Amino acid sequence: MSQLTIIANIHAKPDQIEKVKAALLKLVPITRAEEGCLTYTLHQNNENPAPFTRTGSRVSCGSSTCRHRIWKSTWQRQKARSLSSPCKR
C-alpha cells in the first residue's frame, strides 16, 4: 500500500461562494470518516474568498485503477453548478 495525496482547487462563482463553502464544509467530516483517509483539509484565502483548496491524503493500493477510482469519487462529491470552472491538474 502507498499514500496518495490529492490537491484540488475549486473556484466558486462570486455570488455562490457561501453556497460552495457550505457544501465543501459538509464534506470534511464525511471524507475524514472514509476508510483509508489519513488527512483532509479545506482552505479558503481570506483576501480572495472565491478559490478553495482541498488537500487530502489516503492509503492507496498504488495502482492507476485505484488512484483513478479515488480521484473520480472525490470529484463526483464536489460537482455543483455553483463552480465557475472544473479543477485543473
Side-chain angles (χ1 to χ4, degrees), residues 6-49:
I6 298 174
I7 300 170
N9 294 310
I10 299 120
H11 298 274
K13 294 178 182 177
D15 63 334
Q16 297 293 318
I17 292 171
E18 290 306 314
K19 183 177 180 180
V20 171
K21 181 178 182 177
L24 291 172
L25 285 172
K26 285 181 185 179
L27 291 176
V28 173
I30 295 167
T31 304
R32 286 181 178 165
E34 288 179 353
E35 183 179 346
C37 180
L38 300 173
T39 63
Y40 182 83
T41 56
L42 177 65
H43 304 276
Q44 183 180 25
N45 185 322
N46 290 332
E47 295 175 13
N48 181 4

Side-chain angles (χ1 to χ4, degrees), residues 19-89:
K19 183 177 180 180
V20 171
K21 181 178 182 177
L24 291 172
L25 285 172
K26 285 181 185 179
L27 291 176
V28 173
I30 295 167
T31 304
R32 286 181 178 165
E34 288 179 353
E35 183 179 346
C37 180
L38 300 173
T39 63
Y40 182 83
T41 56
L42 177 65
H43 304 276
Q44 183 180 25
N45 185 322
N46 290 332
E47 295 175 13
N48 181 4
F52 295 86
T53 302
R54 292 178 32 188
T55 305
S57 296
R58 59 187 308 126
V59 174
S60 168
C61 65
S63 73
S64 61
T65 302
C66 185
R67 288 192 303 268
H68 175 72
R69 187 180 72 244
I70 292 168
W71 175 253
K72 185 177 178 183
S73 68
T74 301
W75 174 242
Q76 287 175 339
R77 285 194 310 264
Q78 73 186 23
K79 280 185 180 176
R81 290 184 181 158
S82 51
L83 297 180
S84 63
S85 62
C87 291
K88 297 177 183 174
R89 289 193 237 173

